[in-house]
């Protein structure tokens, strides 16, 4: 069954018109006729069962049959990561993190960052596609690129952790990620956080953690943090 994203659908609305891109996919590519079932997700917890009322390849109209609200997870996962120079690796991260389930993804501009600018439009489309493919009900918040120094002061230290590679005592994320109502994990660029950035985080009460013995790529570390946070809550 086709799953579509409905960013402007409201409760009680009997019909909905798909975007031109979604309409073309449904009518021209999949050749769905009137009466064919379609699932709509709004990214805010509501899933709608619908049928095609008008198979127009530019403005495919759907008739809403029923709706189901799915409660959010009682635990949030927030990862803040320095994007890599190769954007494909960030696209992979967004796709997989949405499939696993993440509430918020923030992009950091760090002292050793290779990428200093980032446009979210492409990443948002990938997130929506992953949402539809995986059957998730909630679209995560994607934050614009922000300087590390500006981002850290607004964090809650009790539920925030920094995964760095400098020497020193660190706790396994799996041991602390499931303690509070959620967690935020900071992941640095390929060259790691700078000593000054690590000191800033620690001075704010943010605790250092490890994701295991292996030295992971930035995007792999970020996804590992998402997996670990989920496993810690099971």
């Amino acid at each position: 069954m086709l799953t579509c994203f409905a960013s402007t659908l409201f409760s009680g609305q009997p019909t909905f018109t798909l975007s031109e891109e979604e309409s073309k996919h449904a009518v021209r590519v999949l050749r769905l006729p009137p009466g064919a079932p379609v699932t709509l997700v709004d990214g805010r917890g509501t899933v709608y069962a619908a049928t095609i009322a008008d198979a127009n390849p530019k403005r495919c109209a759907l008739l809403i049959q029923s709706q189901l609200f799915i409660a959010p997870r009682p635990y949030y996962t927030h990862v803040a990561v320095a994007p890599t120079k190769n954007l494909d690796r960030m696209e992979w991260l967004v796709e997989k993190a949405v499939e696993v389930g993440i509430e918020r993804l923030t992009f950091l501009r760090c002292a050793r960052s290779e990428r200093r600018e980032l446009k979210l439009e492409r990443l948002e489309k990938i997130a929506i596609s992953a949402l539809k493919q995986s059957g998730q009900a909630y679209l995560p918040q994607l934050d614009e690129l922000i300087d590390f120094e500006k981002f850290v002061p607004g964090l809650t230290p009790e539920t925030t952790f920094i995964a760095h590679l400098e020497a020193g005592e660190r706790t396994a994320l799996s041991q602390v990620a499931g303690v509070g109502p959620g967690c935020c994990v900071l992941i640095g660029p390929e060259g790691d956080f700078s000593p000054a950035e690590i000191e800033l985080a620690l001075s704010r009460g943010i605790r250092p953690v490890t994701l295991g013995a292996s030295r992971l790529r930035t995007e792999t570390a970020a996804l590992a943090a998402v997996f670990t946070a989920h496993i810690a809550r099971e």
Side-chain angles (χ1 to χ4, degrees):
M1 182 185 296
L2 176 65
T3 299
C4 298
F5 183 70
S7 60
T8 59
L9 192 64
F10 297 97
S11 177
Q13 193 171 354
T15 60
F16 180 76
T17 302
L18 295 177
S19 66
E20 185 171 347
E21 182 179 358
E22 295 261 37
S23 296
K24 181 179 179 180
H25 181 68
V27 179
R28 288 270 172 83
V29 178
L30 298 181
R31 300 184 182 277
L32 297 180
V38 175
T39 297
L40 284 171
V41 292
D42 64 4
R44 298 182 293 275
T46 305
V47 179
Y48 302 83
T51 55
I52 293 180
D54 180 12
N56 187 311
K58 291 188 176 181
R59 298 177 302 278
C60 182
L62 305 180
L63 179 63
I64 306 301
Q65 305 289 346
S66 62
Q67 65 183 63
L68 173 67
F69 179 74
I70 299 175
R73 282 182 288 266
Y75 175 83
Y76 73 87
T77 303
H78 178 192
V79 170
V81 58
T84 56
K85 184 177 182 180
N86 186 341
L87 192 57
D88 289 348
R89 289 160 61 185
M90 285 297 98
E91 293 176 356
W92 176 87
L93 169 61
V94 169
E95 179 183 72
K96 301 310 174 187
V98 174
E99 289 178 7
V100 173
I102 187 173
E103 280 64 48
R104 184 179 176 187
L105 187 61
T106 300
F107 297 102
L108 300 175
R109 186 187 292 109
C110 298
R112 295 172 177 171
S113 289
E114 295 180 293
R115 176 172 287 276
R116 312 301 295 183
E117 301 295 334
L118 182 69
K119 295 182 179 179
L120 291 184
E121 183 178 0
R122 167 70 177 164
L123 297 179
E124 289 170 343
K125 290 182 178 180
I126 290 174
I128 290 173
S129 178
L131 176 84
K132 296 188 297 182
Q133 185 276 329
S134 62
Q136 296 283 351
Y138 288 87
L139 189 68
Q141 175 182 330
L142 299 184
D143 295 332
E144 296 281 357
L145 198 66
I146 183 174
D147 291 336
F148 182 85
E149 294 81 2
K150 294 180 179 179
F151 178 68
V152 169
L155 298 172
T156 303
E158 292 80 8
T159 56
T160 304
F161 310 95
I162 182 169
H164 67 78
L165 300 176
E166 292 289 322
E169 184 177 350
R170 289 170 291 165
T171 306
L173 179 62
S174 58
Q175 296 180 14
V176 294
V179 175
C183 73
C184 173
V185 184
L186 311 181
I187 306 293
E190 290 296 327
D192 200 10
F193 292 110
S194 69
E197 289 168 338
I198 296 172
E199 179 57 33
L200 173 61
L202 298 182
S203 70
R204 292 277 179 173
I206 295 172
R207 287 172 285 173
V209 293
T210 177
L211 297 169
S214 300
R215 184 182 291 264
L216 305 176
R217 286 181 176 269
T218 295
E219 72 277 14
T220 309
L223 187 60
V226 178
F227 271 112
T228 302
H230 280 288
I231 292 172
R233 296 295 293 187
E234 291 182 353

